[in-house]
Amino acid sequence: MSQELRANFKVVKNAINHKEVPKRILHTGAGMPAVGLGTFGSDRFTNEEIADAVLGAISVGYRHIDCASVYMNEPEIGKSLGIAIQGGVPREELWITSKVWNDMHGQGDVLLSCAQTLKDLRLDYLDLYLLHWPFPNYHAPGCDGDSRNPDSKPFSKEEFMATWRQMERLLEMGLVKHIGTSNMTIPKFKEVWDDMIIKPAVNEMELHPHFQQQELYDYCVSKNIQPVGFCPIGSPTRPDRDKTENDTVDIEDPAVLKAAKRLNVHPAVVCVKWGVQRGQIPIPFSVKENEYRSNLEASIKDPLTDEEMEELSKIDKNCRLIKGQVFLWEGADSWEDLWDLDGEITE
């Protein structure tokens, strides 16, 4: 973390008024800021750079920070949160999300994982805690895309529910305010829904103009689950292992470029605007102040027209960027098996 930022933190005079940023009302009645700062820096940014971005983002108006234990940068982010809170940003203004990783699904492990995250982030509670993936399939951080863990297994309702019970317990203990899921599918939701005592407040999922997941999006909305969208601009800085030759580029799409030209903004801003106006919560990542400021401003100024939203709704390429192939189990055919594309859970 830069010494200047650490020593002189303050909410800057030209900060975006966080009260003007829209909020999505969850099934609890709580308001979740409609844009957040992602903190997955891939292998392209250091923990210190990401921690600087968190502190800088808070100084310009962000109040929603999306973290995860597997990103391995929560201790550094915790320093930034501590500085911001000590510098006058009330804890209750912040919305801090984290996630339990796949290697901590065992009995009692979710509590241990959450406790470590709270220690690392220097917080007494989390606003939202997510089950990062719906199975305990583990891979080493930064592994090659062709890596496979021989212990990986298909989705198990019993294992999922044992983990979800621990998530519910965290809520009952007051360590988290909300619990949710990530990377779920409709068949998996249907398999476990009736057994969930506490329903998920959100589902974090890949959402961008070239991957709109309309069916899953509509399903979540019908169940009063707030969609949160990662990779909202198409994740140009995602790890090389997640890139394939068939991937499309959202910020080069003619419809996106057309709207960007009208608004005189970067095409990435159009993608964020689309996400906000559609109703999801985009969590774009950037370490550059001009970029993360523009992403937050996207939620409060110069909206896309109805015609532009209609045009953008028609550019879905069904292009999943985060395919999850490192989680495949022995006998699986391809990464598509993770996503239950035929409407049934793949075993």
Side-chain angles (χ1 to χ4, degrees):
M1 187 182 302
S2 69
Q3 293 296 325
E4 180 180 355
L5 202 58
R6 180 187 296 124
N8 301 304
F9 171 81
K10 59 182 177 181
V11 176
V12 297
K13 291 183 178 180
N14 63 342
I16 298 160
N17 185 347
H18 69 90
K19 294 181 180 179
E20 295 181 4
V21 176
K23 289 188 176 181
R24 306 299 176 211
I25 305 304
L26 306 184
H27 64 56
T28 62
M32 185 174 177
V35 175
L37 182 76
T39 60
F40 176 51
S42 179
D43 48 6
R44 307 188 191 282
F45 302 94
T46 67
N47 292 353
E48 297 295 329
E49 288 176 307
I50 295 165
D52 278 351
V54 168
L55 194 54
I58 294 173
S59 76
V60 303
Y62 276 81
R63 294 296 181 266
H64 173 187
I65 310 296
D66 182 271
C67 309
S69 60
V70 75
Y71 302 164
M72 298 187 296
N73 53 22
E74 289 189 331
E76 292 81 5
I77 291 173
K79 294 178 183 178
S80 293
L81 297 179
I83 290 169
I85 293 169
Q86 188 174 10
V89 177
R91 169 64 184 95
E92 57 270 20
E93 278 188 9
L94 296 171
W95 183 283
I96 309 300
T97 296
S98 189
K99 313 175 190 77
V100 58
W101 187 236
N102 302 6
D103 60 343
M104 297 297 285
H105 285 205
Q107 191 62 41
D109 287 342
V110 177
L111 176 59
L112 292 175
S113 178
C114 183
Q116 185 63 54
T117 281
L118 289 170
K119 180 180 179 181
D120 289 342
L121 293 177
R122 306 186 181 195
L123 299 174
D124 295 325
Y125 68 90
L126 294 169
D127 298 275
L128 175 64
Y129 200 49
L130 302 179
L131 192 56
H132 206 147
W133 289 83
F135 38 68
N137 298 352
Y138 171 79
H139 69 78
C143 71
D144 184 83
D146 294 326
S147 295
R148 298 290 181 271
N149 186 329
D151 296 326
S152 292
K153 295 179 292 184
F155 174 81
S156 162
K157 176 182 178 179
E158 292 72 22
E159 290 184 353
F160 179 96
M161 287 309 307
T163 306
W164 190 254
R165 290 285 177 257
Q166 296 180 69
M167 300 284 285
E168 294 172 332
R169 180 63 179 145
L170 290 175
L171 190 62
E172 294 166 355
M173 295 170 67
L175 296 176
V176 304
K177 301 293 186 182
H178 302 82
I179 55 176
T181 54
S182 180
N183 296 301
M184 285 287 278
T185 65
I186 294 175
K188 290 183 176 71
F189 269 129
K190 289 181 176 178
E191 183 73 9
V192 301
W193 186 260
D194 289 342
D195 291 332
M196 289 172 146
I197 298 172
I198 300 173
K199 309 302 186 185
V202 313
N203 183 54
E204 196 163 297
M205 50 201 275
E206 183 178 335
L207 291 171
H208 45 96
H210 280 188
F211 192 60
Q212 301 186 18
Q213 297 211 79
Q214 192 66 53
E215 184 180 8
L216 177 56
Y217 182 94
D218 290 343
Y219 178 87
C220 288
V221 171
S222 75
K223 294 293 188 180
N224 211 11
I225 304 171
Q226 171 63 49
V228 175
F230 64 80
C231 299
I233 63 173
S235 192
T237 60
R238 67 190 182 279
D240 289 338
R241 68 173 181 269
D242 289 324
K243 295 183 176 181
T244 69
E245 61 182 13
N246 295 323
D247 292 345
T248 60
V249 183
D250 299 69
I251 58 176
E252 295 178 0
D253 190 285
V256 174
L257 293 173
K258 179 182 175 183
K261 182 178 180 181
R262 180 184 72 81
L263 293 168
N264 193 29
V265 297
H266 191 281
V269 173
V270 172
C271 295
V272 175
K273 285 181 181 292
W274 169 82
V276 172
Q277 291 180 226
R278 188 189 190 205
Q280 63 219 37
I281 299 176
I283 47 172
F285 166 76
S286 178
V287 299
K288 297 179 180 179
E289 180 178 348
N290 66 307
E291 293 179 354
Y292 57 68
R293 176 185 280 274
S294 295
N295 289 336
L296 189 61
E297 284 180 336
S299 70
I300 63 172
K301 62 185 293 188
D302 300 330
L304 297 170
T305 65
D306 291 343
E307 291 76 15
E308 287 167 336
M309 288 296 293
E310 176 68 17
E311 190 171 359
L312 290 170
S313 74
K314 297 177 180 178
I315 65 169
D316 190 1
K317 309 293 186 187
N318 195 31
C319 179
R320 185 185 296 276
L321 301 176
I322 307 304
K323 299 172 177 65
Q325 66 272 20
V326 293
F327 301 120
L328 288 172
W329 54 91
E330 184 177 351
D333 291 331
S334 76
W335 61 265
E336 294 181 341
D337 288 349
L338 295 164
W339 303 106
D340 310 327
L341 299 185
D342 64 356
E344 301 290 337
I345 295 176
T346 305
E347 299 179 356

